[in-house]
Amino acid sequence: VETAVNDGPLKGRHILVTSGPTHEPIDPVRYIANRSSGAQGTSIARALLSLGAQVTFVTGPADKAAPMGVDLVEVQTADQMLEAVNSALPADAAIFAAAVADWRVANAADQKIKKDGNGLPVLEFAENPDILASVCAGKQKPKLVVGFAAETQNVIENATAKRKRKGCDWIVANDVSPSTGIMGGSENDVTLISEDGAENWPRMGKDQVAQRLAEKIAEALG
Ligand code: CTP
Ligand code: CA
């Protein structure tokens, strides 16, 4: 059982973590979502707790159980995640590890869509709010905001541009091409991108990535 340790470098700090996928309904029984086990976000929350932080953990429907000891907020959709994140502020730091669906179904049906012989359903999409970007642009921006960039090509280039576009302090970039085995696996191979440049970390367990990140966060918050 993990609970916040009474003493640690993050004692007295409130840190917000988003994790897992979001589910965007098509009808009451179907949804669209990104692939996300919630493993990396869960590990980060646990590592922050182990350094003494108070952690608000806003998660979509993930495979991994949330760690004991967090203030848990469970959501389904990106809209709900945005609302939960805004309600959780202020925070000293925020880590956005969620794999938020970029689009929701604009013409979601109230009732189950049936194969009624009238042809295939046509889905219309609307863009979801960018939670990370909106927090960075907001009045309550935490002192340290960390985003993730899961890319399948031009990882460093895309992630560097993403950090600037979203206005966050750090981006944890990784290559999630199926051949890397990172999606759904227990290891990660990340590059930490900040204003100062890109720092490549050796491939290690997601728990170790989380621990190292939590330590860096503690250092940055001072
Ligand atoms: N993110 C978010 N809200 C969204 C989309 C993304 O908060 N609607 C956050 C993610 O949690 C992550 C970061 O933004 O920390 C980058 O997510 P990513 O999907 O890589 O970026 P996008 O801007 O959605 O770009 P892309 O077109 O590559 O998906
Ligand atoms: Ca996206």
Side-chain angles (χ1 to χ4, degrees):
V1 180
E2 306 80 23
T3 43
V5 298
N6 298 326
D7 227 356
L10 289 173
K11 181 178 154 67
R13 302 293 193 179
H14 175 218
I15 304 189
L16 169 68
V17 178
T18 73
S19 185
T22 64
H23 284 185
E24 309 295 333
I26 294 170
D27 69 14
V29 301
R30 305 181 179 96
Y31 61 84
I32 59 163
N34 286 38
R35 289 187 201 283
S36 168
S37 62
Q40 190 62 84
T42 300
S43 298
I44 290 167
R46 195 178 287 120
L48 293 167
L49 285 174
S50 78
L51 297 185
Q54 180 215 333
V55 178
T56 300
F57 190 68
V58 179
T59 181
D63 303 337
K64 294 270 177 209
M68 298 285 292
V70 296
D71 296 318
L72 178 63
V73 187
E74 293 177 302
V75 301
Q76 296 281 325
T77 67
D79 276 334
Q80 291 166 1
M81 187 173 274
L82 175 66
E83 203 178 305
V85 161
N86 283 331
S87 303
L89 295 175
D92 298 293
I95 324 304
F96 291 84
V100 182
D102 290 315
W103 306 280
R104 66 179 171 277
V105 179
N107 60 342
D110 293 334
Q111 304 295 331
K112 185 183 175 190
I113 301 169
K114 303 292 288 177
K115 291 179 291 180
D116 57 5
N118 287 326
L120 300 172
V122 176
L123 301 181
E124 286 161 23
F125 290 95
E127 194 163 324
N128 271 332
D130 188 320
I131 304 165
L132 169 59
S134 101
V135 167
C136 290
K139 287 207 172 81
Q140 298 204 89
K141 180 191 175 287
K143 183 178 172 200
L144 181 68
V145 178
V146 184
F148 273 73
E151 307 287 345
T152 58
Q153 57 183 350
N154 307 328
V155 178
I156 305 301
E157 195 185 322
N158 285 343
T160 301
K162 205 166 260 182
R163 191 190 77 83
K164 294 218 180 86
R165 194 165 67 238
K166 291 175 181 264
C168 58
D169 301 291
W170 301 348
I171 282 256
V172 181
N174 63 1
D175 186 341
V176 293
S177 304
S179 61
T180 64
I182 281 168
M183 297 284 301
S186 64
E187 292 194 318
N188 208 346
D189 185 346
V190 309
T191 300
L192 183 69
I193 294 170
S194 69
E195 199 177 31
D196 304 331
E199 181 182 301
N200 182 242
W201 296 1
R203 190 175 173 118
M204 57 180 109
K206 286 181 180 175
D207 285 343
Q208 289 167 286
V209 170
Q211 199 61 38
R212 187 155 164 180
L213 187 65
E215 280 160 17
K216 269 198 106 81
I217 290 167
E219 219 176 279
L221 291 179

